[in-house]
Amino acid sequence: MRKQTECTTILVGKDATIDGSTMIARSEDGGRTIIPEGFKAVNPEDQPKHYESVISHQKIDDEDLAQTPLRYTSVPDVSGKNGIWGAAGINAANVAMTATETITTNSRIQGVDPLLDPEDGGLGEEDFITLTLPYLHSAKDGLKRIGHLLEKYGTYEMNGMAFSDKDEIWYLETIGGHHWAARRIPDDAYVIAPNRLNIDEFKFNDPDFACSADLKDLIEEYHLNPDREGYNLRHIFGSSTIKDAHYNNPRAWYIHNFFNPDFGGQPSDQDQPFICRANRKISIEDIKWAESSHYQDTPYDAYGDEGTPEQKKTFRPIGINRNFETHVLQIRNDVPAEIAGVQWLAFGPNTFNSFVPFYTNVTDTPECFQTTPKFNLNKIFWLNKLTAQLGDTNYRVYGELEDAFEQKSLSECHKIQHDTDKAVKGLSGKELQDKLEEANKKMANTVYNNTVELLGQMVDEGHGLMTLKYDLLD
């Protein structure tokens, strides 16, 4: 059985962020079964020299792995049952990649270029980070690499993925079994991409767009375009279903209205724009709030007072029990390249966790973020699962404790990061990496200890709220 991932991607260009960095973010969400995620630095000697997918048993020709790989960070599925499933990371060239956003398709393109059956091979979400990120020297390199892999090996599922460097962000979506299309995100814009095919307006022969060489011919030959003018890839290759109206579109609608209150519209609107502008510059805290959101101050909030029981279950929230890890891959432009890459990372449901801003120019990661497959409260993944499940029993009480915990954790991490940025000036090589690893460990331990403190506060508050109690004390 394949691992399920249903995510929410947020992309923010360098002129749209508060500090001039590029940011690509995604919550990696799973199904009913808990999927423990870890944090790992993959050094060149650890990169596979020979590769075979676990799900499809697709073997990759050695010449496609022959380039000298770069070191990179990864957020793998620690069980290994579904393959590596690296999810997201930043490499030694300060190129970031998040993969993948499960997206939709339609019968027209599937009749032309069907998805592969995994029993017949092909690549999928378990493979893309491992086969792509260590070989990239720019965001645009990601398009070339993925294009080559898709055209040669094919895929058995629809995927969206993003690439960034200090200047550019590109978002790519697979189309059918062997095709793809990508768009450069304008520097002053942001994107919200839920689990549907997201790219709308597309311009062939424009440097800000890229695709399979035969994509336009394929559209014309098989009469795939329903529009009278132009090319809208969501209309041509995507979906517009009841599931989109309830599962996908409301997530985009809610964040759009958070980033720009004049956005308006209705939660189920099918044609929400792909490229948008906010009414302010976007911060890490904005992205974390959005990825944690559950339709607050609307009738659709599962924890709110406004809606009926039916309304509270109408739309799929972004912050959900199935968040297993959430990241923001940030490439900064106001610091030296050696410390520019930062992977903000949080494990577990986003309503009860905090980001940690890990430097990615490292060869190892903090112990408490190296998750074990089985329940272990020394690992922050499992600790966050526990605080979220306890917090869910009475959000009105525990939510305030979480807000204070997250404010405290983020401020302390910001302080450690600011101090480290200054302290490592003039350092290089192993001396620099040692200092960055020391800072990463300090931030990880700070947030771990704050989470333990939060759990203790929740136990104290919850003691008197238990159902199994009796007010007359003997």
Side-chain angles (χ1 to χ4, degrees):
M1 182 177 178
R2 296 210 306 270
K3 170 182 170 181
Q4 296 177 329
T5 58
E6 298 179 337
C7 318
T8 307
T9 292
I10 302 175
L11 315 174
V12 191
K14 63 182 181 180
D15 292 341
T17 62
I18 196 169
D19 64 350
S21 63
T22 57
M23 298 183 192
I24 60 176
R26 183 169 61 89
S27 63
E28 185 179 10
D29 309 336
R32 292 182 178 88
T33 302
I34 295 174
I35 304 168
E37 309 284 346
F39 181 44
K40 183 178 181 181
V42 183
N43 296 298
E45 61 270 22
D46 300 324
Q47 178 68 4
K49 301 296 187 296
H50 311 282
Y51 187 89
E52 180 177 343
S53 301
V54 171
I55 292 172
S56 67
H57 301 288
Q58 175 68 60
K59 292 183 178 180
I60 302 302
D61 294 338
D62 287 351
E63 60 262 28
D64 287 327
L65 300 168
Q67 305 173 58
T68 302
L70 298 170
R71 186 195 67 249
Y72 62 102
T73 54
S74 172
V75 190
D77 173 353
V78 299
S79 76
K81 294 178 181 178
N82 299 284
I84 298 172
W85 217 278
I90 300 174
N91 71 20
N94 284 336
V95 178
M97 177 181 179
T98 181
T100 60
E101 180 81 30
T102 305
I103 60 172
T104 55
T105 183
N106 64 49
S107 59
R108 295 188 300 280
I109 182 58
Q110 290 303 313
V112 174
D113 181 16
L115 293 170
L116 279 66
D117 187 314
E119 294 184 1
D120 297 326
L123 303 176
E125 298 186 9
E126 68 157 298
D127 310 303
F128 285 123
I129 289 288
T130 303
L131 296 179
T132 305
L133 185 55
Y135 307 110
L136 305 183
H137 292 269
S138 71
K140 202 165 185 180
D141 280 351
L143 316 184
K144 301 172 187 175
R145 178 73 178 170
I146 289 294
H148 167 74
L149 294 172
L150 288 173
E151 290 162 18
K152 183 171 183 177
Y153 300 104
T155 183
Y156 51 80
E157 57 191 0
M158 293 288 293
N159 298 303
M161 58 195 82
F163 307 90
S164 66
D165 53 36
K166 67 183 180 64
D167 293 315
E168 294 190 332
I169 298 174
W170 283 84
Y171 178 73
L172 179 149
E173 293 184 315
T174 65
I175 295 170
H178 300 85
H179 291 80
W180 60 276
R183 180 169 184 179
R184 183 183 183 277
I185 309 308
D187 294 341
D188 65 343
Y190 76 87
V191 162
I192 309 300
N195 300 117
R196 62 175 298 174
L197 198 142
N198 291 284
I199 298 175
D200 48 18
E201 178 189 27
F202 195 85
K203 297 178 181 179
F204 292 96
N205 302 316
D206 185 303
D208 288 337
F209 298 79
C211 63
S212 306
D214 64 339
L215 192 66
K216 186 175 182 181
D217 292 339
L218 181 141
I219 293 170
E220 304 300 340
E221 179 179 356
Y222 291 97
H223 312 294
L224 300 178
N225 190 357
D227 296 332
R228 297 185 184 280
E229 295 181 359
Y231 295 89
N232 182 314
L233 297 194
R234 193 184 304 163
H235 295 169
I236 296 170
F237 300 118
S239 61
S240 182
T241 65
I242 295 297
K243 180 178 179 180
D244 289 325
H246 287 259
Y247 195 86
N248 293 321
N249 305 338
R251 284 181 274 162
W253 165 82
Y254 189 70
I255 301 179
H256 285 317
N257 279 281
F258 172 59
F259 285 161
N260 186 355
D262 293 331
F263 184 85
Q266 297 297 319
S268 58
D269 287 347
Q270 298 283 12
D271 270 330
Q272 298 176 45
F274 179 63
I275 301 295
C276 294
R277 272 84 180 174
N279 71 344
R280 63 188 183 281
K281 293 192 174 184
I282 295 171
S283 67
I284 288 290
E285 284 79 2
D286 288 330
I287 295 177
K288 177 58 168 66
W289 189 92
E291 292 283 13
S292 305
S293 63
H294 38 88
Y295 305 113
Q296 294 95 308
D297 296 325
T298 77
Y300 315 116
D301 182 3
Y303 293 138
D305 297 324
E306 295 184 31
T308 65
E310 291 75 21
Q311 285 176 310
K312 293 173 185 291
K313 296 180 180 179
T314 301
F315 301 130
R316 191 269 208 202
I318 299 167
I320 196 170
N321 67 316
R322 296 186 279 111
N323 301 140
F324 293 131
E325 67 89 8
T326 301
H327 54 265
V328 181
L329 308 178
Q330 180 185 32
I331 310 298
R332 301 187 290 172
N333 279 296
D334 61 344
V335 295
E338 292 80 7
I339 59 172
V342 178
Q343 183 158 353
W344 297 77
L345 183 62
F347 287 142
N350 289 327
T351 45
F352 283 90
N353 64 18
S354 177
F355 271 146
V356 180
F358 291 117
Y359 293 96
T360 56
N361 183 14
V362 295
T363 60
D364 200 4
T365 55
E367 182 69 26
C368 64
F369 273 75
Q370 295 179 15
T371 307
T372 52
K374 293 192 176 182
F375 187 80
N376 179 350
L377 285 179
N378 291 318
K379 306 300 181 181
I380 198 166
F381 176 92
W382 293 110
L383 184 61
N384 282 340
K385 284 294 297 177
L386 178 60
T387 56
Q389 287 180 223
L390 177 57
D392 185 71
T393 63
N394 194 328
Y395 185 77
R396 184 185 299 278
V397 171
Y398 299 131
E400 291 187 13
L401 296 176
E402 194 283 333
D403 287 343
F405 149 78
E406 189 168 358
Q407 179 84 0
K408 177 182 179 182
S409 295
L410 283 172
S411 63
E412 290 176 344
C413 283
H414 276 305
K415 180 66 166 60
I416 294 169
Q417 187 184 46
H418 293 323
D419 290 345
T420 303
D421 284 352
K422 295 175 183 176
V424 300
K425 284 183 178 178
L427 301 184
S428 61
K430 188 176 186 303
E431 186 179 12
L432 172 62
Q433 289 178 332
D434 287 346
K435 288 292 186 182
L436 298 183
E437 288 176 12
E438 181 183 325
N440 283 354
K441 182 178 180 180
K442 185 176 181 180
M443 290 187 288
N445 289 342
T446 294
V447 174
Y448 176 87
N449 291 334
N450 288 348
T451 309
V452 172
E453 182 181 31
L454 170 64
L455 180 61
Q457 292 170 341
M458 294 168 76
V459 170
D460 287 342
E461 289 289 333
H463 170 72
L465 302 175
M466 292 179 63
T467 301
L468 192 66
K469 64 180 181 179
Y470 195 77
D471 289 335
L472 181 63
L473 300 179
D474 294 330

